[in-house]
Amino acid sequence: PNYTLDKLGQQDRTGEIATENHTFAAIVVEFVNGVFHFRQLAANKKGEFYDIDPINGGARLFTPKGNTHTPDAIEGLVLGDWHTGKTCPTVRKVTFDSKGSMVSALRPKNVVLHDFIDGDSISHYEQYQAHRRAWKGPKQYDCLETEMKGGVVELDWMQKKAPKVKLHVVASNHPEFVSDYIDTMRWAKDDINLAFGARMFSTMVGDLEARNPKKVDAVASDPVVMYLKKFCPKVNVLERTDTLFLGANKILCSMHGDIGVRGAPTRSLKEFRKMNQCIILGHNHTGTIWGPIWRVGTSTPRMQFYVTTPSTQWTNTHCVIFETGQRMLLNIVGNHYHGFTNTPELKLAA
């Protein structure tokens, strides 16, 4: 970094900020069949950086002395908001279920899931969407128990596809549609969910009775968290106050991005700069980098029924975390996330 100094050898405010944010990095752009893929290479102070190696598996470490294959160097893969039941089939396949999929080729040790349960069956927004309720009813798309069981099936499927990967489910706003539904007693007037809602309500009350917290701490555990922990014991299901750090520099991966540092709703990346921490967020459905704050995109189609514009800025973007804490955003474009091929030329260049 080389930023302007005054006569006393001091930087102005802009220079100080620039020095703090300075990164030795590059963008790789690959053109394949009329589309392009791009990804970031972030180097440390020694000029060392990782790149993915989907041909040989894992990653490749580049240093001033050369490059070496490092098949187990990817610490984690943070997925764009998953929204089970609405996940784009192509994204699902490219991430888990194809030859050369992200999980099989990159071999991450951890996979982090945001907005895993969508909450569409009991969404509070549909109080004002009678036509959708009328359409969903005969199809039983408004059955909460069916949606919850679908989440368990999806986690089991992921574990079968990636048995060596540790799955983490981050507390997010969409799964919390369920606790809102239970706490507001809407289930009591909803015949299809009456029995299951009563059981979840009883579970929440029972949780408080079992823990017997102080009055100031008297909030039940999230019902979705309790349900997934019960039926998916091998999955790390996080509550809002839990933390998850990945990589050598301990990147915080347990914040969804909908609640800011003061406990209020937010969509601002600026809010999280106050934490002085490397963070990976979800929530906004658009891959973004702003200094130490990175955001993944969505795993759903890039248009939804509630979008009222011709297009969105949403991206199907996941984030790779290397063992050193260096990061990379990978966009799924078409039906792939990179432009590597099995041709000798590209394999050698990799």
Side-chain angles (χ1 to χ4, degrees):
N2 183 14
Y3 297 100
T4 303
L5 304 177
D6 62 19
K7 293 180 180 180
L8 297 177
Q10 297 175 326
Q11 291 180 332
D12 61 13
R13 178 178 178 275
T14 302
E16 292 283 354
I17 294 173
T19 300
E20 178 67 23
N21 288 311
H22 190 102
T23 302
F24 289 103
I27 302 291
V28 176
V29 184
E30 298 169 318
F31 294 88
V32 182
N33 298 328
V35 300
F36 69 89
H37 300 274
F38 70 93
R39 61 186 185 276
Q40 305 79 23
L41 305 177
N44 61 22
K45 293 181 180 180
K46 298 179 181 179
E48 301 167 337
F49 63 89
Y50 281 102
D51 193 9
I52 58 171
D53 189 348
I55 301 300
N56 299 300
R60 187 166 289 272
L61 175 63
F62 291 80
T63 74
K65 296 181 180 180
N67 68 88
T68 54
H69 180 220
T70 52
D72 300 314
I74 295 181
E75 185 68 20
L77 183 64
V78 182
L79 306 186
D81 294 3
W82 197 252
H83 295 281
T84 302
K86 292 182 180 176
T87 312
C88 173
T90 299
V91 173
R92 193 172 181 267
K93 183 175 181 179
V94 170
T95 305
F96 280 99
D97 195 26
S98 63
K99 183 178 180 181
S101 69
M102 281 189 179
V103 172
S104 63
L106 303 184
R107 305 176 189 175
K109 300 179 182 69
N110 300 274
V111 167
V112 180
L113 298 157
H114 287 262
D115 269 341
F116 179 72
I117 296 293
D118 181 71
D120 181 71
S121 61
I122 44 77
S123 171
H124 55 281
Y125 293 117
E126 291 195 353
Q127 295 179 80
Y128 311 102
Q129 296 170 341
H131 69 284
R132 270 183 60 82
R133 298 199 309 272
W135 175 78
K136 287 167 61 176
K139 302 175 184 294
Q140 293 199 333
Y141 289 165
D142 55 355
C143 180
L144 176 58
E145 186 172 16
T146 298
E147 182 173 10
M148 295 296 292
K149 287 181 177 179
V152 172
V153 170
E154 187 79 344
L155 287 173
D156 287 343
W157 174 79
M158 290 178 177
Q159 289 186 313
K160 289 177 182 177
K161 291 294 179 181
K164 296 182 179 180
V165 169
K166 180 66 175 179
L167 298 175
H168 307 269
V169 176
V170 174
S172 311
N173 62 307
H174 269 259
E176 290 174 356
F177 287 2
V178 178
S179 59
D180 176 74
Y181 177 75
I182 302 301
D183 266 338
T184 56
M185 299 294 289
R186 299 199 326 262
W187 55 271
K189 299 179 181 180
D190 195 351
D191 289 351
I192 194 171
N193 293 316
L194 184 57
F196 187 71
R199 293 200 297 272
M200 295 199 88
F201 177 77
S202 178
T203 298
M204 293 176 72
V205 175
D207 173 67
L208 278 175
E209 292 175 341
R211 290 190 291 110
N212 193 27
K214 295 180 181 179
K215 186 176 181 180
V216 295
D217 298 322
V219 176
S221 297
D222 187 284
V224 172
V225 172
M226 290 190 285
Y227 186 92
L228 294 180
K229 281 184 175 181
K230 178 180 179 180
F231 293 102
C232 305
K234 294 182 180 180
V235 177
N236 181 25
V237 186
L238 302 168
E239 296 199 57
R240 283 286 185 177
T241 53
D242 293 331
T243 55
L244 173 67
F245 296 95
L246 296 177
N249 61 342
K250 295 188 179 299
I251 297 172
L252 182 61
C253 298
S254 50
M255 298 189 74
H256 180 53
D258 60 317
I259 302 296
V261 297
R262 299 177 64 184
T266 185
R267 287 187 176 273
S268 170
L269 290 178
K270 182 179 179 180
E271 174 89 8
F272 297 93
R273 291 295 297 266
K274 300 173 185 177
M275 296 182 67
N276 195 29
Q277 168 75 48
C278 291
I279 306 174
I280 298 176
L281 305 170
H283 189 52
N284 272 29
H285 289 194
T286 305
T288 311
I289 298 173
W290 191 24
I293 313 301
W294 290 39
R295 194 190 293 276
V296 295
T298 181
S299 296
T300 67
R302 290 179 292 113
M303 289 293 289
Q304 292 280 332
F305 70 90
Y306 54 82
V307 176
T308 57
T309 52
S311 63
T312 68
Q313 290 183 319
W314 295 2
T315 58
N316 296 135
T317 306
H318 301 335
C319 184
V320 172
I321 304 172
F322 297 101
E323 58 188 0
T324 55
Q326 292 159 299
R327 291 173 281 182
M328 175 184 291
L329 293 180
L330 294 176
N331 305 295
I332 296 174
V333 180
N335 60 357
H336 228 300
Y337 64 96
H338 64 74
F340 287 101
T341 71
N342 284 309
T343 59
E345 295 81 8
L346 281 179
K347 187 172 182 180
L348 179 63

